[in-house]
Amino acid sequence: MHISEPYYLIVDLEATCSHKNKIIPRHEMEIIEIGAVILNNQTFTIESEFQTFIRPQRHPQLTPFCTELTTITQDQVDPAPLFPQALDEFVTWYTPYLPARFGSWGKYDYHQFIQDCRYHEIIYPLPEHINIKRQFSKAIGQSRDYGLNNALKHLQLTFDGTPHRGLDDARNIARIVTTILSRDQGS
Ligand code: AMP
Ligand code: MG
């Protein structure tokens, strides 16, 4: 799982959603939270953390399903910045750590950023993406993909914090990366 860049920019997004995509189809989902950590690839320490809520435009009203899944409430997204401003703040935060590799659990977060950038007609700004879920499977010599919880279980870890919240998900992904990287270094 080693990368040549000194930092991993580990990101986890939460988005508007509905049960089985019935009310909100996949192509109309929008980011409502960015959670991210900067993981130092040498020391395995988290050097900085970022969290923002985002006010969705296409489906401004969160579904009860979405609030139940993520714990994110209407009161939290209503006063939040729209995607272009939030993205700007996010880029400003991670820029001092470049060159970094953008890592997430699967490809979902990467595709969701592209979708929101297209909708708002802004240029996609993130660095090259790495699918940490895939890298994890490779590192443990498995062909199947693991969910975040099962990956933690495989490493005899348990989820810290609230699942399906951006920053907590990102922190837990960082714990997985750290465990794999330090194990690789020790061998
Ligand atoms: P996660 O990072 O696993 O919390 O998921 C990111 C986003 O994917 C969530 O904020 C939801 O928008 C969507 N999502 C995750 N799980 C489900 C589910 N079971 N049904 C519908 N949408 C989901
Ligand atoms: Mg999440």
Side-chain angles (χ1 to χ4, degrees):
M1 206 184 282
H2 221 78
I3 52 166
S4 49
E5 291 83 356
Y7 295 107
Y8 266 111
L9 164 63
I10 298 177
V11 182
D12 188 86
L13 303 176
E14 302 306 325
T16 51
C17 58
S18 56
H19 186 53
K20 296 189 176 164
N21 296 93
K22 277 189 180 147
I23 303 169
I24 303 177
R26 172 69 195 87
H27 67 274
E28 289 180 9
M29 285 168 68
E30 285 172 285
I31 302 168
I32 55 171
E33 185 181 38
I34 302 175
V37 302
I38 295 287
L39 181 69
N40 183 314
N41 208 7
Q42 299 297 316
T43 61
F44 309 134
T45 50
I46 288 179
E47 296 212 358
S48 190
E49 295 187 332
F50 180 91
Q51 188 277 341
T52 186
F53 292 116
I54 297 174
R55 178 154 46 98
Q57 275 194 298
R58 293 171 151 187
H59 297 273
Q61 210 61 32
L62 300 185
T63 62
F65 176 88
C66 184
T67 296
E68 191 164 328
L69 178 76
T70 63
T71 76
I72 298 170
T73 62
Q74 196 65 42
D75 286 357
Q76 289 173 308
V77 294
D78 277 346
L82 294 173
F83 178 71
Q85 188 192 330
L87 186 69
D88 242 23
E89 288 166 14
F90 175 55
V91 173
T92 302
W93 165 73
Y94 73 65
T95 294
Y97 299 98
L98 294 177
R101 191 77 75 92
F102 160 32
S104 66
W105 198 258
K107 285 191 181 167
Y108 161 75
D109 307 80
Y110 167 65
H111 289 302
Q112 187 66 56
F113 266 129
I114 290 177
Q115 181 166 304
D116 284 38
C117 285
R118 278 211 188 115
Y119 178 72
H120 289 274
E121 298 180 334
I122 49 185
I123 294 166
Y124 172 84
L126 276 92
E128 194 183 336
H129 181 254
I130 185 165
N131 178 347
I132 297 177
K133 186 198 268 192
R134 203 78 282 292
Q135 294 299 312
F136 171 81
S137 294
K138 270 195 208 160
I140 63 164
Q142 300 271 331
S143 55
R144 77 175 181 93
D145 277 346
Y146 280 68
L148 191 47
N149 257 317
N150 283 336
L152 287 163
K153 240 182 245 165
H154 183 89
L155 301 173
Q156 275 142 25
L157 300 171
T158 50
F159 194 96
D160 268 351
T162 308
H164 301 298
R165 281 301 305 271
L167 184 52
D168 283 342
D169 282 356
R171 285 174 177 156
N172 281 282
I173 298 166
R175 289 168 69 216
I176 293 173
V177 173
T178 298
T179 307
I180 296 286
L181 285 180
S182 45
R183 199 176 67 178
D184 286 354
Q185 248 186 24
S187 62

